[in-house]
Amino acid sequence: MVSKKIRKSKLLIEYIKFLRDYQGSSEATIDIRQRFVEPFLLSLREIGQPSKLFRLSPQIIHDYIITTATPLHRASKKHLTSSIRSFLRFAHINSYLKRDLIEAVPVITTRKLDRLPQSLSWKDVQKLLEMPDRNTPIGRRDYAVLLLLIRYGVRIGQATSLKLQDIHWQEGVLYFPGCKQGNAIHLPLYKDVADALLNYIRKDRRNTEFQELFLTIKGLARPLSKHNHYYNNIKKYFVKANITSASKGSRLIRHSFASRLVNQQVPIKIIADLLGHRWIETTFIYTKVNVSQLRQLAREWPGGEK
């Protein structure tokens, strides 16, 4: 939980205002920056104040990054270093630091292909759909979300942020906005997905002014928080299904979706389009094909080797 002391920090408030008003950062970027800068300021204790930040040393920055980055996965390591650099830039521009300390942030090497991604057997993936109790509002909602993840391989944010206008019933098409610099995708509205969505909409959404498809269950219906990554909702079905894996979230389902397509020898261009990837290298990262396969599959990509 975020400390109230840090939340009210003048330094943090000014930094967020700097991101929003001076740099024009998106709310998603601001959320990431705040998530990594808050604990950094907390670790500084009394130094983490406007009048005392000048005492911040390169060694303190370096040691914090090395210690904090150790248990993080690749994406979080990148967010950590970029967020601290962003904050240090702000502090220098606003004269809280007498000199630019950005270079004190160490470069953390992150290898994209250093290990195989986890994936489940497709039998286990399908087993997850049997776990929600579809006689309850939360079960109907969770089933619909799981079905979107499993049938389309989309990211959890793309599923939970769907709006009613993204469902084109007559055309039989679902629209998923782009996510993480990826492409937006239009996919067929499968019958089982349409049935699950209609069942949830008719029984649980009730009459509401919100355009967001998925709403909260308890209390007054409202859109899911942007901070709700649905992890606990999905994890409980992994546990209920007795699926043993280190990861129990939506990313594992996405990896399993991509791996299944690779095993079925679906062309890499089609896989990339289905996953909404803008760059073919991103698809390689997800599927972890070997070097010889990369050379072969690259020929399928526009502009690739002939």
Side-chain angles (χ1 to χ4, degrees):
M1 183 178 293
V2 176
S3 165
K4 291 184 179 179
K5 181 180 179 180
I6 293 301
R7 187 180 299 152
K8 296 178 181 178
S9 165
K10 179 177 182 294
L11 200 56
L12 183 62
I13 293 173
E14 286 189 18
Y15 172 58
I16 293 173
K17 182 176 176 59
F18 170 82
L19 292 175
R20 183 175 288 119
D21 299 341
Y22 182 80
Q23 291 196 328
S25 301
S26 68
E27 291 303 314
T29 297
I30 292 172
D31 179 53
I32 291 172
R33 296 285 185 256
Q34 182 174 344
R35 194 189 322 160
F36 286 93
V37 169
E38 281 181 338
F40 174 61
L41 292 178
L42 181 61
S43 74
L44 297 179
R45 299 181 183 277
E46 69 274 4
I47 297 179
Q49 302 176 31
S51 62
K52 298 182 179 180
L53 194 64
F54 70 92
R55 292 163 53 188
L56 181 63
S57 69
Q59 190 64 49
I60 292 176
I61 298 169
H62 179 275
D63 291 349
Y64 176 83
I65 295 293
I66 295 300
T67 301
T68 305
T70 300
L72 301 180
H73 57 68
R74 182 178 61 86
S76 291
K77 288 178 180 178
K78 292 175 64 177
H79 288 318
L80 169 66
T81 53
S82 62
S83 296
I84 300 304
R85 288 191 185 102
S86 170
F87 173 77
L88 294 174
R89 183 179 299 110
F90 149 80
H92 184 237
I93 289 175
N94 287 273
S95 301
Y96 293 127
L97 291 175
K98 295 180 179 179
R99 58 188 176 121
D100 191 347
L101 294 179
I102 290 178
E103 294 301 321
V105 178
V107 176
I108 305 295
T109 302
T110 57
R111 299 183 182 278
K112 293 182 178 180
L113 296 174
D114 60 347
R115 58 182 176 178
L116 292 174
Q118 283 186 300
S119 63
L120 298 174
S121 69
W122 201 244
K123 181 179 179 180
D124 279 344
V125 172
Q126 294 292 104
K127 191 176 179 181
L128 288 171
L129 290 174
E130 302 172 10
M131 298 302 109
D133 181 359
R134 292 155 67 185
N135 293 314
T136 65
I138 193 169
R140 287 187 287 269
R141 187 191 67 184
D142 288 350
Y143 175 77
V145 171
L146 276 171
L147 198 57
L148 290 173
L149 298 177
I150 292 170
R151 293 289 268 143
Y152 300 109
V154 294
R155 294 184 172 91
I156 185 62
Q158 290 176 291
T160 57
S161 64
L162 272 180
K163 292 181 171 56
L164 292 175
Q165 60 262 35
D166 295 328
I167 310 172
H168 304 280
W169 301 102
Q170 292 186 341
E171 296 85 351
V173 173
L174 259 182
Y175 170 76
F176 293 98
C179 182
K180 291 188 175 182
Q181 298 182 337
N183 294 324
I185 47 179
H186 292 78
L187 296 170
L189 178 60
Y190 301 123
K191 184 179 185 304
D192 57 344
V193 175
D195 290 343
L197 295 180
L198 281 172
N199 192 39
Y200 163 72
I201 291 171
R202 288 169 175 167
K203 293 181 178 179
D204 305 303
R205 283 191 90 261
R206 304 181 296 278
N207 293 325
T208 173
E209 61 182 7
F210 299 112
Q211 285 301 303
E212 286 79 4
L213 174 60
F214 296 111
L215 306 176
T216 57
I217 300 297
K218 297 180 180 180
L220 294 175
R222 61 189 184 282
L224 298 174
S225 167
K226 66 177 182 179
H227 302 291
N228 182 357
H229 301 298
Y230 228 76
Y231 177 77
N232 289 331
N233 300 66
I234 295 174
K235 178 182 176 180
K236 68 182 179 184
Y237 297 123
F238 274 81
V239 174
K240 188 176 180 181
N242 292 316
I243 297 174
T244 57
S245 63
S247 173
K248 292 180 172 62
S250 61
R251 181 176 295 185
L252 180 57
I253 297 175
R254 183 169 165 86
H255 278 311
S256 302
F257 176 88
S259 297
R260 180 170 181 256
L261 295 179
V262 171
N263 292 334
Q264 292 176 337
Q265 298 184 339
V266 174
I268 197 68
K269 177 62 169 67
I270 293 178
I271 297 176
D273 288 344
L274 289 172
L275 294 175
H277 288 164
R278 181 169 297 179
W279 309 110
I280 193 170
E281 290 82 359
T282 308
T283 311
F284 294 153
I285 293 165
Y286 266 97
T287 57
K288 296 294 183 178
V289 292
N290 61 37
V291 175
S292 62
Q293 286 176 306
L294 291 180
R295 294 195 182 103
Q296 177 63 34
L297 293 173
R299 297 189 180 96
E300 303 169 13
W301 195 261
E305 180 184 350
K306 301 296 184 182

